[in-house]
């Protein structure tokens, strides 16, 4: 094996081994030391990050990618399942980023969760999640990907329902599992189709063999899977509900890593989609409606975590739009940059929440610019990066996406929706920053505001650096695989920036207008639509479970009995008999003489006819 | 002697309950093997039956209302209002705070649908019809507009490439002595 390949694959497998080691130590019945979470888990993740930089540098220098098939796991006749890893452009870049973000979040969690008696278990769950995520991104076959996929889904359930004594947290965890399951139907259907028609789950073989097939069905399955996992419109309510979990969970799973798994799946299998216009159009339209709908919902929310959650959903919609534009590399770039500033936004939210004694309502925050200068500065930086302010991380990905969108031959409404959603991003980001950092405090004077702990500050600072330079570093070092359109009118080139500035100006104008609070709750139809999340949860979560459960209950308790013991049994039979009896007895009027006469007459006529 | 009397007393107190050591001590028992009087029965036709059923289900006679006798098999089980646990006061000191229920309260026929993890029947700020209208109207409008967008996609105007010097007349091997025809070029 060539030394480059050997170094690449062994360092990446070493990364996975370093992450699994703390999990194995928990099998030891001896009680762990007090600082296990920090000394073992966080150290493992930071070590793994440093180790994963080596393959990244090799890839940067030589462009080397490897596919490693380690072990033939099982087979049924001609169908093989192996343990194989694909260390290509996507997984080599994503792994260090995921590890960097996780490292920061674990350090933050050591402060956030320090009063929790089960903090060690929390860290174990996060580590298990991370291992599943890395398995997902490095998988070279659908089975391994599915293992990672389900793994992240289950860990999401366990972590959202961390405070399981809370009924709302249980409902949210259940919602996450059920919505993800609906998406999994699509993934399993795609896998079944691939197994049946292409007889392989290895990605390279799928690409080779799919040339002669109509891939619409498996592609729609994959899009359904991405809809479920990445909270696209229709299967999106679980993501804002997932904010019931602790903030480190929201920061890691529901912003940077797990929710991008759906988009990552589509990026991985993009060569299948390139020539299928139905799949691309579906992605485009789905992404566009998601990004607008969730951005509109974010406009009127008052819980800081919900706003950031809807913002995540909106950016996921934008990534889906990019897939629909046939630009998987831009979508991946956005995944990478988004991880940094979104995780930072969540960590800043967590720091603010804890400092204000677990207050999450932005209407009860304010003036934190002077009280928590670093956190509010990083919140502002993160919000600017999110809106695509020039030369921060988000700019390189978002601006490139919008340029590609403007210069493509595609659905005009999708284009319009995405631009409107971009302006909404600016509006709700400004709203968060205004309510949290500006003005005068609207909380109680005795709040445990504290920015002195390095476990809080260092992760936020690290992610702030990432939010500033990550876009530049990635764009400068990696060539685009598809030629971007370079020539376009100035208006189109500046469209993203213009739309963002318009959004910002509108937000500032509205703030100035509504500075003096006149009405507590405005009675505007559009406000209700946005505040109640488009009425989607209110309608769907009441209608569908009620119908299903009612039907199930009726079937179980009444329908079976009524059908088999009554309708198909005595009562049914008796009703049929009664019908027949009534019909027959109606014709029997008891007129014996008439019947006898008719009988005689007809017999006579018959005999006469027979004789003649 | 005292122990014997105590045993007799305990047994007397727990009369009607299935015998067993635990029942003699704590009075708690399993739901299985319930005595005939505690099981749901047929639809109560007489006022005495109604009173007995109300007592059985731990309800007052005024509150007790059985399901209508239409052959669906409800028997004398009380028909409670279709309200989920979400509508109950979250701040009241319930016996079971997570279930928002007191001990001995009659259980709704569809109680498993109305727990806090399931269907929420609490009144919404906006009425049902408006919500459905707005949601499905929004979705329908979006589908319509996407359809229109597919019919009329957006694109940048493109044209064939235009070259200078009379469309590169000389470079393409044109006669240097002849005067070339000036080509028509457009500006987009």
């Amino acid at each position: 094996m060539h030394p480059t390949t050997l170094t690449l694959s062994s360092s990446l497998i070493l990364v996975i081994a370093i992450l699994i080691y703390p999990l194995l130590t928990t099998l030891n019945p001896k009680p762990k030391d007090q600082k296990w979470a920090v000394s073992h888990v966080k150290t493992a993740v930071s070590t793994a990050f440093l180790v994963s930089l080596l393959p990244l540098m090799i890839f940067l220098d030589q462009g080397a990618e490897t596919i490693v098939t380690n072990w033939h796991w099982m087979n049924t006749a001609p169908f093989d399942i192996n343990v194989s890893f694909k260390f290509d452009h996507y997984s080599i870049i994503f792994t260090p980023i995921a590890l960097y973000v996780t490292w920061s979040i674990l350090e933050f969690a050591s402060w956030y969760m320090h009063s929790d008696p089960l903090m060690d278990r929390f860290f174990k769950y996060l580590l298990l999640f991370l291992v599943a995520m890395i398995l997902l991104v490095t998988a070279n076959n659908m089975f391994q990907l599915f293992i990672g996929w389900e793994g992240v889904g289950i860990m999401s359930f366990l972590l959202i329902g961390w405070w399981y004594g809370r009924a709302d947290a249980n409902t949210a965890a259940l919602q996450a599992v059920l919505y993800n399951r609906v998406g999994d139907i699509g993934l399993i259907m795609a896998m079944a189709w691939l197994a049946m028609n292409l007889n392989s789950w290895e990605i390279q073989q799928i690409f080779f063999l799919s040339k002669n097939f109509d891939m619409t069905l498996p592609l729609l399955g994959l899009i359904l899977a991405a809809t479920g996992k990445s909270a696209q419109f229709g299967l999106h309510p679980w993501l804002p509900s997932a904010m019931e979990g602790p903030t480190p969970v929201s920061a890691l799973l529901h912003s940077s890593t797990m929710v991008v798994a759906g988009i990552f799946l589509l990026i991985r299998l993009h060569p299948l989609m390139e020539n299928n216009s139905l799949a691309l159009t579906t992605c485009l339209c789905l992404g566009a409606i998601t990004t607008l709908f969730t951005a509109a919902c974010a406009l009127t929310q008052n819980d800081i975590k919900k706003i950031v959650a809807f913002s995540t959903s909106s950016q996921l919609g934008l990534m889906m739009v990019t897939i629909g534009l046939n630009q998987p590399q831009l979508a991946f770039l956005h995944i990478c940059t988004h991880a940094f500033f979104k995780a930072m936004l969540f960590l800043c939210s967590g720091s603010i929440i804890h400092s204000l004694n677990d207050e999450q309502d932005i209407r009860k925050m304010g003036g934190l610019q002077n009280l928590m200068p670093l956190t509010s500065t990083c919140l502002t930086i993160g919000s600017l990066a999110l809106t695509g302010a020039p030369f921060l991380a988000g700019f390189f990905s978002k601006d490139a996406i919008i340029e590609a969108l403007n210069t493509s031959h595609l659905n005009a409404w999708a284009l319009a929706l995405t631009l409107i959603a971009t302006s909404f991003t600016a509006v709700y980001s400004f709203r968060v920053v205004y309510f949290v950092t500006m003005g005068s405090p609207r909380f109680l004077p005795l709040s445990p505001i504290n920015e002195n702990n390095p476990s809080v500050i260092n992760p936020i600072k690290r992610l702030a650096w990432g939010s500033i330079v990550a876009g530049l570093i990635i764009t400068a070092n990696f060539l685009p695989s598809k030629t971007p359109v370079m020539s376009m009118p100035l208006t189109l080139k500046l469209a993203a920036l213009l739309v963002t500035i318009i959004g910002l100006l509108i937000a500032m104008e509205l703030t100035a207008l509504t500075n003096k609070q006149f009405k507590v709750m405005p009675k505007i139809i559009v406000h209700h639509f946005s505040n109640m999340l488009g009425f989607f949860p209110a309608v769907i979560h009441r209608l569908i479970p009620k119908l299903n459960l009612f039907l199930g209950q009726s079937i179980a308790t009444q329908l079976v009995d009524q059908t088999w013991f009554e309708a198909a049994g005595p009562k049914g039979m008796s009703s049929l008999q009664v019908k027949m009896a009534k019909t027959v007895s109606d014709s029997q009027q008891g007129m014996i003489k008439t019947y006898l006469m008719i009988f005689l007459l007809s017999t006579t006529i018959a005999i006469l006819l027979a004789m003649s | 002697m005292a122990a014997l009397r105590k045993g007799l007393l305990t047994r007397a107190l727990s009369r009607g309950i299935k015998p067993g050591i635990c029942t003699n001590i704590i009075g708690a028992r399993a739901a299985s093997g319930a005595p005939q009087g505690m099981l749901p029965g047929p639809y109560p036709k007489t006022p005495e039956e109604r009173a007995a059923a109300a007592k059985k289900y731990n309800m007052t006679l005024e509150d007790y209302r059985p399901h209508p006798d239409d052959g669906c098999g409800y028997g004398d089980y009380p028909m409670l209002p279709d309200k989920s646990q979400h509508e109950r006061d979250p701040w009241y000191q319930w016996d079971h705070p997570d279930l928002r229920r007191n001990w001995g309260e009659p259980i709704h026929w569809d109680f498993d649908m109305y727990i806090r993890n399931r269907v929420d029947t609490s009144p919404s700020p906006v009425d049902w019809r408006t919500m459905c209208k707005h949601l499905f109207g929004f979705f329908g409008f979006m589908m319509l507009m996407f359809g229109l967008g597919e019919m009329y996609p957006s694109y940048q105007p493109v044209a064939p490439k235009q070259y200078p010097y009379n469309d590169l007349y000389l470079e393409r091997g044109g006669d240097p002595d002849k005067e070339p025809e000036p080509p028509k070029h457009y500006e987009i």
Side-chain angles (χ1 to χ4, degrees):
Chain A
M1 216 165 152
H2 192 269
T4 310
T5 323
L6 195 59
T7 323
L8 207 61
S9 41
S10 42
S11 22
L12 283 158
I13 292 184
L14 183 61
V15 161
I16 298 178
I18 293 174
L19 293 174
I20 291 181
Y21 170 70
L23 294 172
L24 294 175
T25 57
T26 61
L27 295 172
N28 187 351
K30 243 175 41 179
K32 301 189 273 285
D33 66 57
Q34 246 194 349
K35 296 247 174 224
W36 176 83
V38 175
S39 64
H40 276 65
V41 180
K42 195 189 76 153
T43 317
V45 173
S46 54
T47 316
F49 165 67
L50 292 170
V51 170
S52 70
L53 287 178
L54 179 61
L56 182 65
M57 296 304 144
I58 294 176
F59 179 73
L60 271 176
D61 181 48
Q62 298 184 0
E65 302 180 353
T66 51
I67 297 169
V68 177
T69 304
N70 283 342
W71 181 43
H72 176 105
W73 190 345
M74 54 180 124
N75 72 308
T76 48
F79 190 83
D80 286 334
I81 295 179
N82 310 307
V83 170
S84 57
F85 297 96
K86 182 171 181 165
F87 301 124
D88 67 339
H89 165 240
Y90 298 128
S91 46
I92 289 182
I93 300 177
F94 187 78
T95 308
I97 291 176
L99 289 167
Y100 184 78
V101 169
T102 311
W103 174 26
S104 305
I105 290 170
L106 286 176
E107 198 175 333
F108 178 83
S110 65
W111 170 76
Y112 195 83
M113 305 293 289
H114 79 279
S115 59
D116 195 312
L118 297 171
M119 189 170 103
D120 289 345
R121 186 189 291 180
F122 185 75
F123 273 63
K124 188 167 90 164
Y125 282 1
L126 285 179
L127 193 58
L128 203 51
F129 161 79
L130 185 64
V131 170
M133 189 70 207
I134 299 211
L135 274 181
L136 199 160
V137 302
T138 54
N140 192 38
N141 59 35
M142 298 299 292
F143 191 63
Q144 207 168 315
L145 190 135
F146 188 66
I147 293 173
W149 186 273
E150 292 296 293
V152 300
I154 291 296
M155 297 324 294
S156 170
F157 166 77
L158 289 172
L159 285 164
I160 294 171
W162 177 253
W163 291 310
Y164 53 79
R166 218 176 119 70
D168 289 333
N170 287 336
T171 315
L174 204 61
Q175 242 184 49
V177 160
L178 289 174
Y179 274 117
N180 277 343
R181 240 317 162 242
V182 175
D184 291 350
I185 295 172
L187 184 60
I188 293 173
M189 180 183 76
M191 284 168 66
W193 190 97
L194 292 170
M196 272 175 24
N197 290 296
L198 305 184
N199 196 40
S200 176
W201 275 343
E202 296 283 323
I203 292 192
Q204 282 67 41
Q205 291 181 19
I206 292 172
F207 291 164
F208 253 151
L209 296 166
S210 62
K211 302 272 188 292
N212 301 322
F213 284 89
D214 178 21
M215 300 294 286
T216 310
L217 190 62
L219 286 173
L220 289 176
L222 292 172
I223 293 172
L224 179 63
T227 309
K229 192 64 100 187
S230 295
Q232 301 298 303
F233 181 76
L235 299 177
H236 67 279
W238 71 270
L239 188 54
S241 300
M243 298 299 116
E244 291 286 336
T247 306
V249 170
S250 310
L252 183 57
L253 273 75
H254 305 121
S255 64
S256 327
T257 35
M258 185 193 119
V259 290
V260 298
I263 305 289
F264 196 88
L265 173 73
L266 290 180
I267 292 175
R268 259 275 190 262
L269 296 173
H270 192 83
L272 300 177
M273 270 194 347
E274 272 172 338
N275 298 320
N276 193 316
S277 64
L278 177 67
L280 290 173
T281 312
T282 311
C283 283
L284 184 72
C285 297
L286 184 62
I289 194 174
T290 304
T291 184
L292 179 77
F293 184 79
T294 48
C297 290
L299 292 175
T300 52
Q301 296 302 306
N302 294 314
D303 181 347
I304 189 173
K305 283 179 72 173
K306 283 258 185 332
I307 299 178
V308 186
F310 276 113
S311 153
T312 306
S313 207
S314 185
Q315 297 303 305
L316 290 168
L318 187 67
M319 292 173 206
M320 187 64 108
V321 163
T322 321
I323 303 258
L325 289 175
N326 233 337
Q327 302 275 0
Q329 225 179 355
L330 278 183
F332 181 71
L333 177 65
H334 199 52
I335 287 178
C336 297
T337 55
H338 177 260
F340 286 104
F341 54 76
K342 199 43 68 71
M344 184 169 75
L345 282 174
F346 268 113
L347 292 195
C348 293
S349 313
S351 174
I352 291 166
I353 288 168
H354 250 27
S355 294
L356 298 182
N357 212 11
D358 292 338
E359 181 56 64
Q360 291 189 218
D361 196 327
I362 57 172
R363 296 172 294 188
K364 288 184 170 177
M365 301 174 184
L368 287 178
Q369 205 166 3
N370 301 315
L371 300 162
M372 300 176 74
L374 197 98
T375 311
S376 45
T377 312
C378 290
L379 188 77
T380 315
I381 292 174
S383 300
L384 285 173
L386 173 60
T387 56
F391 311 121
L392 293 179
F395 170 76
F396 292 95
S397 49
K398 225 174 159 181
D399 206 67
I401 292 171
I402 304 227
E403 270 175 26
L405 193 63
N406 286 338
T407 53
S408 298
H409 181 238
L410 48 65
N411 200 317
W413 187 241
L415 169 63
L417 289 184
T418 312
L419 289 173
I420 296 171
T422 311
S423 71
F424 281 0
T425 308
V427 175
Y428 62 67
S429 300
F430 177 76
R431 188 164 177 266
V432 170
V433 170
Y434 174 75
F435 271 91
V436 171
T437 63
M438 301 185 196
S440 43
R442 292 181 292 276
F443 49 87
L444 298 169
L446 282 177
S447 300
I449 295 182
N450 177 17
E451 265 195 344
N452 299 323
N453 196 329
S455 318
V456 178
I457 292 305
N458 290 339
I460 294 181
K461 272 192 213 163
R462 273 204 297 272
L463 289 175
W465 276 117
S467 307
I468 297 170
V469 305
L472 178 61
I473 292 177
I474 301 177
T475 319
N477 288 312
F478 297 101
L479 288 171
S481 53
K482 292 185 200 271
T483 321
V485 173
M486 294 295 192
S487 54
M488 62 190 92
L490 190 64
T491 334
L492 288 188
K493 185 86 185 165
L494 296 174
L497 199 56
L498 279 172
V499 145
T500 306
I501 291 174
I502 290 171
L504 206 59
L505 288 173
I506 292 177
M508 288 166 80
E509 183 62 32
L510 281 171
T511 314
L513 284 174
T514 57
N515 211 356
K516 313 284 176 282
Q517 199 177 20
F518 294 119
K519 284 197 179 121
V520 171
M521 172 85 151
K523 285 191 176 26
I524 311 170
I525 297 172
V526 190
H527 180 273
H528 281 151
F529 186 81
S530 170
N531 200 19
M532 290 190 67
L533 316 183
F535 306 126
F536 191 100
V539 169
I540 302 291
H541 292 172
R542 293 181 180 210
L543 191 62
I544 296 183
K546 187 165 186 177
L547 284 175
N548 283 338
L549 287 167
F550 217 64
L551 192 66
Q553 175 78 284
S554 307
I555 291 175
T557 58
Q558 287 157 359
L559 194 64
V560 174
D561 291 345
Q562 283 187 317
T563 313
W564 291 107
F565 295 149
E566 297 187 0
K571 278 199 180 158
M573 210 165 330
S574 67
S575 63
L576 283 173
Q577 300 283 3
V578 160
K579 271 204 188 97
M580 259 197 320
K582 266 199 186 148
T583 321
V584 170
S585 66
D586 273 347
S587 57
Q588 290 178 351
Q589 303 298 321
M591 301 186 293
I592 304 285
K593 285 185 186 159
T594 320
Y595 299 154
L596 271 173
M597 190 56 66
I598 293 172
F599 172 66
L600 271 173
L601 267 174
S602 46
T603 319
T604 319
I605 292 170
I607 291 171
L608 284 172
L609 282 171
M611 277 170 52
S612 63
Chain B
M1 190 63 201
L4 187 65
R5 237 186 297 136
K6 186 175 163 203
L8 280 172
L9 187 63
T10 322
R11 229 163 287 142
L13 284 172
S14 57
R15 192 172 300 147
I17 306 168
K18 219 171 147 77
I21 298 175
C22 281
T23 54
N24 285 344
I25 296 169
I26 55 178
R29 57 237 184 252
S32 61
Q36 201 60 31
M38 298 295 289
L39 287 174
Y43 184 80
K45 296 199 171 59
T46 64
E48 292 82 24
E49 282 179 1
R50 277 186 87 96
K55 184 156 187 267
K56 182 171 68 176
Y57 291 115
N58 199 19
M59 296 172 80
T60 57
L61 194 54
E62 295 80 28
D63 290 337
Y64 174 74
R65 205 161 60 99
H67 285 267
D69 189 19
D70 55 4
C72 281
Y74 288 102
D76 63 358
Y77 202 86
M79 187 161 79
L80 298 162
D82 287 341
K83 290 194 185 315
S84 80
Q85 303 302 88
H86 289 91
E87 290 194 49
R88 298 202 176 190
D89 186 358
W91 297 107
Y92 178 76
Q93 304 287 335
W94 302 97
D95 292 341
H96 304 289
D98 48 337
L99 298 173
R100 291 185 188 166
R101 184 180 169 268
N102 285 323
W103 187 86
E105 226 181 275
I107 303 177
H108 194 285
W109 184 270
D110 295 315
F111 82 97
D112 54 345
M113 188 161 74
Y114 290 132
I115 58 173
R116 284 172 67 197
N117 286 339
R118 303 269 186 280
V119 178
D120 181 358
T121 59
S122 51
S124 48
V126 181
D127 63 288
W128 181 260
R129 286 182 70 101
T130 315
M131 287 203 293
C132 288
K133 209 167 49 171
H134 285 181
L135 175 62
F136 297 121
F138 169 82
F139 188 64
F141 173 70
M142 286 291 155
M143 288 298 109
L144 177 72
M145 292 307 287
F146 276 129
L148 286 177
E150 276 302 301
M151 287 198 312
Y152 305 107
S154 84
Y155 56 93
Q156 289 301 297
V158 289
K161 207 154 165 56
Q162 295 168 154
Y163 296 93
Y165 306 115
N166 297 319
D167 261 347
L168 299 177
Y169 178 75
L170 288 175
E171 284 81 355
R172 288 196 181 148
D175 192 352
D177 300 322
K178 252 187 12 197
E179 188 67 34
E181 263 182 43
K184 193 142 190 337
H185 282 163
Y186 300 94
E187 218 177 273
I188 301 175

